[in-house]
Amino acid sequence: MNTYRYTPEKIVEEKLSFSIPLYQRLFSWGEEQVIGLLYDLKNHFEPSHDDGTPYYLGMLSCIKSGNHYDLIDGQQRFTVMTLVAIVLRHYYQEWNNFLDDGKRLRFISRTKDNEYLAAVINGQAEVIDPNRKMEEGKQVISDFMVSQFSTEDQRKAFAKSVYCRMSFFFSELPASYANNPASLNKYFEAMNAGGKGLEQHEILKVRLMQGEDNKEHLTRIWNAVCDLNRPIIKRDEKDLEEDYRSKYEHAIGLCRSHKYDEAFELCESSYDSEDNNEIGSIEAKQQDFKQSFTETGERSFITFPEFLMMVIDLHLDLSGSYSFYRNELLKIYDLHPIPDKQDFYNQLLFYRLLLDYYIVYKEGDENANKYDIVFKRGSSAEALKQYQSMLYVSQTPFYNWLKPTLERLHKEQVQDTNHLLLWIKEIDNSLHTLPTDVSEMTYDNGIDRYWFWRLDYYLWERKEEFDLTEEEKQIIDEYVFRANRSIEHLHPQHQENNDVWDNEDIHSFGNLAMISQSFNSQQSDDPVTVKFARIMDQAHNHALQSIKMYLMYLDAEKSPSGWKVDVKNAHQAKMYDLLVKSYDIE
């Protein structure tokens, strides 16, 4: 292996192959990471300002092992590059050489992952046991290619640029490391000492403390604010909901009066009681040990580094957008030093209180689809919870809606949930412009999935306006937003067991709904009769995948034979009309 930069094209030329050792973690990139990389690549290779320079993906560390290389560091990036290859080969065939029929990348002792990749690469129609994270990543890449480029020529040019110019360097470690865990440990320790493996917010914590006199106090604030897996004010078992809300309102009021130390004391003291129990006062009872959010890291909508970036952005009035939040945290701090560290810590506390009180959080275990909110004054608490949940699952970037919401809450008090919901709707409306004609919202035009989530919210909010039974309203009322991403055709694309529709009708907005990827795989190209049976089962269990799909089912009078083109057209007109009216929020 040479020391110059490598591209997918160069890997093919040198006939290199790679393995991911068993001790390396599974592929874990989420949608935001994948789409962030794709936007970076698209911006870099944009013809209007492309200067021919490579796009650098960083350094990958490996060890020679027989006729291949074991990836020691960089396995996440190499895996996502493989997923990119699977999609981009449809636009630039040279990517097939990179995939090499599934032999370019192998997972040591992970048979299912190897079988999954081989099946997808070789075009196997059905994958028995798909890797969920890889399947989601592949879907994100496919959707990106359809929605972000308007012509096939543009897609081909992008696919070729990535193949020839996406670049990285390899750091080849001594072969002796492979059989010497101690040497590998020293290597990782050296990376950590250099800041590569250490979390950037931990490095920032140290740098913020430098030169400060009250390090102990600042550390206590940091430790309270950084744990987004628990509320900053603990709810005592004896607290009624109103009492608990009052604690938050009092702490936020103290911050508005610049009494930050008192506000922090209120937060900190809520946890002090954990350590003040005498052994004799502890009730003996069986404990139910469940995985906590501290372990899963899934309580908050955003991570602590994202929260830090947002507070720096707001505190220094930087007006940060997509490119700002794509930067590394330490780079942001280097570019925008914080003059008054104490005031910054006070604002961290203030914004964390606002986040906890006014923004929804996930409750239950990591697989639960439940949300709750502390702020409940007024008549729109449930609607506020649903709308924020909709924005979260729709992958609307947090800095586009959460940042301006917290910024306004920081400056002024909101009267009740009715007014806060109105604020957020105004922000969201400014971010999304409804297509002028429903004919633009088709599957083959790469319809923005946001419209399905938004429509489901307004179907939930305005269910009383539809001719529904009380039971049907109750089924809709219990709908919970999920991060569904698969677009389902109720009348299937393959029509062997159904009436024959024109492609224009099959791909039109009226025939589409959004469901989970796993459910979509289950549906496949099943006939309408089977799909209707599944919708009926969802309704019976009060566990809808999509309110829009449920309305399609009801509009067809719950009968597969009732889903005709004219019924679809009437449903489509009704749904688009609701989206139009949703912008009238006065």
Side-chain angles (χ1 to χ4, degrees):
M1 182 174 284
N2 296 299
T3 57
Y4 50 69
R5 68 179 178 89
Y6 278 82
T7 62
E9 182 179 37
K10 181 63 68 176
I11 286 175
V12 171
E13 287 178 7
E14 297 199 6
K15 300 179 180 179
L16 302 178
S17 59
F18 301 86
S19 293
I20 295 179
L22 181 60
Y23 58 78
Q24 295 285 19
R25 62 194 175 110
L26 298 170
F27 179 66
S28 61
W29 273 30
E31 177 173 350
E32 190 167 344
Q33 290 164 294
V34 175
I35 208 163
L37 171 63
L38 294 171
Y39 272 118
D40 276 359
L41 289 166
K42 182 175 184 290
N43 291 336
H44 187 87
F45 297 131
E46 193 72 46
S48 60
H49 58 260
D50 185 1
D51 59 3
T53 59
Y55 175 92
Y56 286 102
L57 198 57
M59 178 78 75
L60 284 71
S61 301
C62 58
I63 296 175
K64 179 71 172 174
S65 179
N67 61 352
H68 68 274
Y69 290 89
D70 284 346
L71 284 167
I72 305 304
D73 180 49
Q75 73 276 11
Q76 300 287 323
R77 283 167 288 163
F78 203 94
T79 303
V80 83
M81 183 163 57
T82 303
L83 300 179
V84 166
I86 290 169
V87 176
L88 266 56
R89 63 177 171 172
H90 298 298
Y91 308 106
Y92 187 63
Q93 292 185 0
E94 296 299 315
W95 277 108
N96 281 313
N97 296 328
F98 176 82
L99 292 170
D100 195 20
D101 294 326
K103 297 190 285 289
R104 185 73 60 197
L105 177 66
R106 303 292 291 168
F107 297 87
I108 297 175
S109 298
R110 290 180 184 162
T111 305
K112 288 184 178 179
D113 286 342
N114 287 326
E115 291 176 347
Y116 164 75
L117 272 184
V120 173
I121 289 169
N122 293 311
Q124 197 168 307
E126 290 188 14
V127 180
I128 296 174
D129 196 0
N131 180 300
R132 183 177 61 84
K133 294 297 288 187
M134 290 188 200
E135 189 70 16
E136 288 174 356
K138 183 167 66 71
Q139 186 65 51
V140 168
I141 298 164
S142 297
D143 295 343
F144 182 89
M145 293 300 293
V146 171
S147 63
Q148 295 300 314
F149 300 95
S150 56
T151 68
E152 287 299 299
D153 286 344
Q154 290 176 352
R155 296 183 184 101
K156 180 179 179 179
F158 175 75
K160 181 178 180 180
S161 294
V162 177
Y163 182 75
C164 299
R165 292 165 53 198
M166 183 172 68
S167 305
F168 35 85
F169 293 94
F170 282 108
S171 171
E172 186 176 353
L173 305 180
S176 59
Y177 277 33
N179 298 314
N180 191 340
S183 297
L184 270 181
N185 285 338
K186 287 182 179 179
Y187 170 73
F188 287 121
E189 286 171 8
M191 286 199 302
N192 288 345
K196 183 173 182 181
L198 203 60
E199 293 284 357
Q200 292 212 0
H201 63 271
E202 292 294 339
I203 299 172
L204 179 59
K205 175 182 176 181
V206 174
R207 292 176 63 179
L208 284 168
M209 296 291 179
Q210 291 173 351
E212 296 299 308
D213 296 327
N214 53 344
K215 289 184 176 66
E216 181 182 348
H217 178 67
L218 297 182
T219 300
R220 284 162 50 209
I221 293 177
W222 180 281
N223 291 342
V225 168
C226 76
D227 189 356
L228 295 177
N229 295 318
R230 70 177 191 174
I232 195 167
I233 298 178
K234 181 185 178 185
R235 181 174 179 177
D236 189 273
E237 291 181 357
K238 299 175 183 177
D239 281 345
L240 299 175
E241 275 199 27
E242 191 57 44
D243 297 331
Y244 186 52
R245 286 195 288 272
S246 295
K247 290 181 181 179
Y248 269 102
E249 290 170 359
H250 183 43
I252 290 170
L254 289 169
C255 287
R256 294 195 190 281
S257 302
H258 306 289
K259 297 178 181 178
Y260 299 106
D261 288 347
E262 291 181 45
F264 180 59
E265 173 60 27
L266 196 158
C267 299
E268 200 170 41
S269 64
S270 71
Y271 283 92
D272 287 347
S273 60
E274 289 182 342
D275 303 319
N276 293 336
N277 290 323
E278 296 182 2
I279 292 178
S281 67
I282 299 175
E283 180 184 357
K285 59 182 180 181
Q286 183 175 345
Q287 300 295 318
D288 184 13
F289 292 101
K290 295 181 178 178
Q291 191 175 33
S292 69
F293 274 120
T294 304
E295 296 167 315
T296 64
E298 288 290 332
R299 184 181 192 273
S300 175
F301 281 6
I302 60 173
T303 66
F304 181 57
E306 290 171 337
F307 177 72
L308 273 175
M309 287 185 186
M310 183 171 62
V311 176
I312 292 173
D313 183 10
L314 290 167
H315 182 57
L316 300 179
D317 195 23
L318 300 176
S319 301
S321 58
Y322 174 80
S323 58
F324 175 87
Y325 287 92
R326 286 294 300 151
N327 279 318
E328 293 182 341
L329 182 58
L330 292 177
K331 183 178 180 181
I332 288 174
Y333 180 68
D334 289 337
L335 292 172
H336 308 285
I338 297 169
D340 188 338
K341 308 288 181 56
Q342 178 65 66
D343 188 41
F344 176 69
Y345 274 79
N346 289 338
Q347 299 314 310
L348 274 178
L349 174 65
F350 193 0
Y351 279 112
R352 176 61 204 275
L353 283 163
L354 295 173
L355 179 74
D356 274 22
Y357 188 50
Y358 293 108
I359 304 301
V360 294
Y361 61 88
K362 292 175 279 185
E363 62 174 4
D365 61 38
E366 64 178 337
N367 297 313
N369 288 292
K370 294 183 179 179
Y371 307 90
D372 206 352
I373 191 168
V374 180
F375 180 55
K376 288 187 170 123
R377 184 181 298 114
S379 60
S380 298
E382 281 300 309
L384 180 63
K385 183 172 72 174
Q386 287 283 66
Y387 204 93
Q388 290 189 22
S389 303
M390 181 272 288
L391 290 174
Y392 168 65
V393 302
S394 70
Q395 297 292 317
T396 300
F398 70 89
Y399 45 81
N400 282 347
W401 73 272
L402 180 58
K403 186 183 77 169
T405 300
L406 292 181
E407 183 178 28
R408 187 168 178 181
L409 287 167
H410 187 273
K411 293 176 181 176
E412 60 180 290
Q413 289 179 295
V414 66
Q415 183 177 335
D416 52 28
T417 53
N418 310 49
H419 285 79
L420 182 55
L421 178 61
L422 183 62
W423 288 5
I424 295 175
K425 284 183 175 182
E426 288 172 345
I427 292 167
D428 186 37
N429 286 354
S430 71
L431 297 173
H432 297 96
T433 301
L434 182 68
T436 55
D437 194 283
V438 71
S439 63
E440 301 173 40
M441 302 170 67
T442 64
Y443 181 78
D444 42 1
N445 277 348
I447 182 173
D448 188 340
R449 284 162 169 74
Y450 166 81
W451 299 116
F452 293 103
W453 280 303
R454 181 183 179 107
L455 179 59
D456 272 354
Y457 170 79
Y458 280 100
L459 287 171
W460 175 88
E461 182 188 89
R462 303 186 182 185
K463 54 187 171 291
E464 296 295 336
E465 299 176 13
F466 292 88
D467 184 19
L468 301 169
T469 67
E470 289 305 312
E471 182 183 3
E472 289 163 354
K473 291 176 188 175
Q474 183 64 31
I475 291 168
I476 292 173
D477 191 59
E478 295 177 20
Y479 177 73
V480 178
F481 280 98
R482 298 171 175 85
N484 297 337
R485 286 210 56 82
S486 288
I487 295 177
E488 163 71 357
H489 296 73
L490 186 53
H491 185 94
Q493 299 179 73
H494 299 287
Q495 308 182 71
E496 289 84 356
N497 301 310
N498 301 277
D499 295 339
V500 176
W501 287 18
D502 292 337
N503 280 338
E504 183 178 341
D505 288 313
I506 291 173
H507 296 315
S508 64
F509 183 59
N511 191 47
L512 306 176
M514 188 116 77
I515 60 177
S516 69
Q517 193 155 351
S518 59
F519 189 68
N520 196 19
S521 298
Q522 182 184 5
Q523 297 262 85
S524 184
D525 285 309
D526 283 337
V528 177
T529 52
V530 176
K531 294 183 179 185
F532 267 60
R534 292 194 179 115
I535 299 170
M536 182 175 65
D537 187 56
Q538 290 174 23
H540 177 74
N541 293 313
H542 289 222
L544 298 179
Q545 286 268 327
S546 159
I547 300 179
K548 182 183 186 297
M549 180 175 280
Y550 184 52
L551 266 289
M552 294 158 80
Y553 167 78
L554 295 179
D555 284 344
E557 298 181 347
K558 304 182 182 181
S559 169
S561 61
W563 189 242
K564 303 291 186 182
V565 171
D566 60 333
V567 175
K568 181 270 298 181
N569 289 338
H571 168 83
Q572 176 172 284
K574 185 167 54 175
M575 296 300 100
Y576 183 73
D577 183 58
L578 179 57
L579 284 174
V580 171
K581 290 177 179 176
S582 72
Y583 281 82
D584 181 12
I585 56 174
E586 294 302 324

